[in-house]
């Protein structure tokens, strides 16, 4: 099982420089209905995600008006849940 780790932009870039990995994006729908894109990369033990959600230009004001800490917690929960569900699909016996 991978450990989910959120990284600030500088740390995310540093991780990719020191340990090159494929970066991919996943879309998550927040509780307020806003869809955000989260960039992430993975190795055998960790799932790293960039702690800066992205969305369309039209919705950036809505994203900025959200509490930073609530947004951070919600994204962490959704990434963690998504990670567990994907791992369970790979190994249904768990």
């Amino acid at each position: 099982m991978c450990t989910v780790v959120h990284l600030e932009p500088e740390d995310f870039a540093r991780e990719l420089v020191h340990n090159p990995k494929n970066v991919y994006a996943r879309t998550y729908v927040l509780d307020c209905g806003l869809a955000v894109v989260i960039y992430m990369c993975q190795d055998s033990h960790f799932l790293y995600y960039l702690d800066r959600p992205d969305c369309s230009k039209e919705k950036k004001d809505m994203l900025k008006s959200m509490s930073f800490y609530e947004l951070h917690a919600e994204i962490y929960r959704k990434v963690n849940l998504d990670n567990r569900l994907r791992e369970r699909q790979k190994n249904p016996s768990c």
Side-chain angles (χ1 to χ4, degrees):
M1 179 179 240
C2 287
T3 301
V4 175
V5 179
H6 78 279
L7 297 175
E8 296 295 322
E10 299 83 15
D11 299 325
F12 191 78
R14 190 175 305 116
E15 179 63 31
L16 293 175
V17 167
H18 294 296
N19 303 308
K21 300 170 185 61
N22 290 329
V23 175
Y24 57 96
R26 294 189 61 85
T27 303
Y28 295 96
V29 179
L30 303 178
D31 294 344
C32 66
L34 181 65
V36 295
V37 175
I38 303 294
Y39 296 97
M40 50 185 65
C41 60
Q42 187 170 356
D43 62 21
S44 59
H45 302 292
F46 297 98
L47 172 66
Y48 301 103
Y49 72 92
L50 181 60
D51 192 23
R52 293 294 186 272
D54 196 16
C55 63
S56 67
K57 289 181 191 177
E58 296 81 17
K59 302 293 183 177
K60 290 237 187 246
D61 289 335
M62 186 177 183
L63 186 64
K64 287 179 184 177
S65 70
M66 296 177 70
S67 162
F68 173 79
Y69 296 105
E70 289 177 15
L71 176 63
H72 170 79
E74 183 177 346
I75 290 172
Y76 182 78
R77 283 191 309 271
K78 290 182 185 284
V79 170
N80 229 333
L81 177 61
D82 184 37
N83 182 50
R84 287 181 185 223
L85 291 172
R86 285 186 288 139
E87 286 182 349
R88 187 163 284 176
Q89 286 178 340
K90 289 180 191 174
N91 187 4
S93 63
C94 292

